[in-house]
Amino acid sequence: MKHLIDILDLSVGEIDELIELAESIIAHPENYRESCKYKKLATLFFEPSTRTRLSFEAAMLELGGSVLGFSEAQSSSASKGESVSDTVAVVSGYADIIAMRHPKEGAPLVASMHASVPVINAGDGGHNHPTQTLTDLLTIKREKGHFDHLTIGLCGDLKFGRTVHSLIAAMSRYADVRFYLISPEELKLPSYVKTAYIKDKKIPYIQTTSLESCISELDVLYMTRVQRERFFNEEDYIRLKDYFILTPEKMTLAKEDLCVMHPLPRVNEISTAVDSDPRACYFKQARYGKFIRMALILKLLEANA
Ligand code: CP
């Protein structure tokens, strides 16, 4: 049984295959319209989502399949105390594949141990978000053409930003990559991520609190929102939420071919005045999410056929 719980469940070669399939779907969507006929995707979302849930659902519908599920814990029997393991054991009888988002780190892993169909981690707490990383990798491939020799700035909430943790793990496998870790002191990258994917792999990195000091060096700038829902007190959130704001003035310091990414949702960290800059890739990035999820659903159903 093949699941996707962590981006490193996929080899570099498997990621290349998924990207190739997503690009084929983008070029010829008509070839895939019946690929999942009679198959069902269950979206079990115990935490809010716009992009991940709706792009998974659009992906399955565009493959000719159907979707069922819930978008909040309150409308499921989790509100009556049902466990994740019981929930997926039951849903395995209703669907061919499950995408799960949960506020607790490790919940999708537990689900994968009790499901009889493939489980995809659609975001677990402040831990991982592997399908966002697949989306990010497809964006980088289409915008920069390659993964090697890139200087990547990760800016904002590097502590709770699960998309950042998964992206660093994925990018650490490519040659001649450098990271700028740009965050307030309180929202620095967790040491377990820094040790495993940067220090132990001897990847050059600079940790800084200033976006202006390094923006001119970057090939990719990955902005993130301060994760209000993971703060213990509102005062700290309010103090840190506008620490970084990407503006047209800051963009004048950047390379002409910088690729600005953001997993979205955005709050204040990118001024809307940046949206019309050709280097702003975040809405394209959200669109690519549907195609890479189509590729993932196809591959997982094929692997488990
Ligand atoms: N990027 C992302 O995970 O967005 P949602 O929370 O809207 O799914």
Side-chain angles (χ1 to χ4, degrees), residues 25 29-43 50-69 96-97 99 289-298 301:
I25 295 169
E30 68 282 3
N31 292 349
Y32 298 89
R33 280 196 188 123
E34 299 209 338
S35 300
C36 287
K37 206 170 167 185
Y38 306 124
K39 296 288 182 191
K40 284 173 280 178
L41 164 76
T43 50
T50 296
R51 273 146 298 276
T52 310
R53 186 172 65 83
L54 296 184
S55 65
F56 261 118
E57 295 188 355
M60 193 51 155
L61 294 173
E62 291 194 24
L63 291 168
S66 314
V67 295
L68 64 160
D96 301 284
I97 186 164
K290 179 183 74 180
F291 298 109
I292 199 76
R293 290 182 174 104
M294 288 171 82
L296 179 65
I297 290 168
L298 278 173
L301 287 177

Side-chain angles (χ1 to χ4, degrees), residues 45 48-53 101 122 129 132 162-163 263-265:
F45 276 58
S49 167
T50 296
R51 273 146 298 276
T52 310
R53 186 172 65 83
R101 172 170 289 188
H129 195 345
Q132 179 63 48
R162 58 193 173 196
T163 65
L264 304 178

Side-chain angles (χ1 to χ4, degrees), residues 4-300:
L4 179 63
I5 303 302
D6 185 297
I7 192 64
L8 298 182
D9 292 344
L10 297 169
S11 67
V12 168
E14 285 171 321
I15 287 177
D16 288 345
E17 280 176 25
L18 281 171
I19 289 176
E20 200 178 311
L21 180 54
E23 295 204 295
S24 165
I25 295 169
I26 292 169
H28 298 289
E30 68 282 3
N31 292 349
Y32 298 89
R33 280 196 188 123
E34 299 209 338
S35 300
C36 287
K37 206 170 167 185
Y38 306 124
K39 296 288 182 191
K40 284 173 280 178
L41 164 76
T43 50
L44 311 185
F45 276 58
F46 297 85
E47 213 186 38
S49 167
T50 296
R51 273 146 298 276
T52 310
R53 186 172 65 83
L54 296 184
S55 65
F56 261 118
E57 295 188 355
M60 193 51 155
L61 294 173
E62 291 194 24
L63 291 168
S66 314
V67 295
L68 64 160
F70 51 83
S71 58
E72 53 176 356
Q74 269 317 102
S75 62
S76 78
S77 287
S79 63
K80 301 175 211 161
E82 187 168 43
S83 66
V84 161
S85 46
D86 283 1
T87 302
V88 295
V90 170
V91 174
S92 293
Y94 305 152
D96 301 284
I97 186 164
I98 293 171
M100 174 187 282
R101 172 170 289 188
H102 203 284
K104 281 207 181 123
E105 280 101 6
L109 175 65
V110 170
S112 72
M113 293 165 177
H114 294 88
S116 54
V117 299
V119 173
I120 301 169
N121 177 3
D124 60 329
H127 188 218
N128 276 325
H129 195 345
T131 66
Q132 179 63 48
T133 303
L134 291 173
T135 302
D136 301 341
L137 293 175
L138 176 60
T139 308
I140 293 171
K141 177 73 189 328
R142 288 179 77 81
E143 296 301 314
K144 306 303 291 182
H146 55 90
F147 298 119
D148 298 332
H149 315 298
L150 290 175
T151 298
I152 302 164
L154 301 126
C155 179
D157 184 348
L158 308 191
K159 180 177 180 184
F160 297 118
R162 58 193 173 196
T163 65
V164 166
H165 307 161
S166 294
L167 183 59
I168 288 175
M171 289 306 300
S172 72
R173 299 194 287 190
Y174 297 101
D176 190 26
V177 165
R178 294 192 305 154
F179 293 117
Y180 278 88
L181 307 175
I182 312 156
S183 74
E185 207 45 43
E186 296 92 328
L187 297 177
K188 281 190 335 200
L189 191 70
S191 58
Y192 80 90
V193 179
K194 194 159 72 176
T195 301
Y197 305 120
I198 302 181
K199 284 182 167 175
D200 285 358
K201 296 185 150 203
K202 302 196 174 7
I203 294 177
Y205 75 98
I206 289 178
Q207 205 156 283
T208 174
T209 55
S210 163
L211 176 57
E212 290 90 328
S213 70
C214 61
I215 192 168
S216 63
E217 300 288 315
L218 307 178
D219 301 307
V220 173
L221 171 58
Y222 195 89
M223 295 295 296
T224 60
R225 144 185 96 87
V226 175
Q227 306 259 310
R228 179 181 206 156
E229 63 276 30
R230 314 221 187 276
F231 272 73
F232 292 113
N233 72 70
E234 185 74 2
E235 258 171 48
D236 284 349
Y237 169 72
I238 289 168
R239 187 166 50 81
L240 294 168
K241 72 183 175 67
D242 294 330
Y243 199 96
F244 296 109
I245 301 180
L246 183 64
T247 58
E249 293 70 42
K250 286 184 191 136
M251 288 295 285
T252 63
L253 305 172
K255 288 184 184 173
E256 277 180 18
D257 63 348
L258 173 69
C259 172
V260 180
M261 297 171 63
H262 190 309
L264 304 178
R266 157 180 60 185
V267 185
N268 282 330
E269 58 282 354
I270 302 180
S271 155
T272 54
V274 175
D275 296 355
S276 55
D277 188 309
R279 295 169 289 182
C281 298
Y282 29 92
F283 290 116
K284 262 192 273 187
Q285 183 185 353
R287 273 201 302 281
Y288 293 146
K290 179 183 74 180
F291 298 109
I292 199 76
R293 290 182 174 104
M294 288 171 82
L296 179 65
I297 290 168
L298 278 173
K299 287 277 186 195
L300 285 179

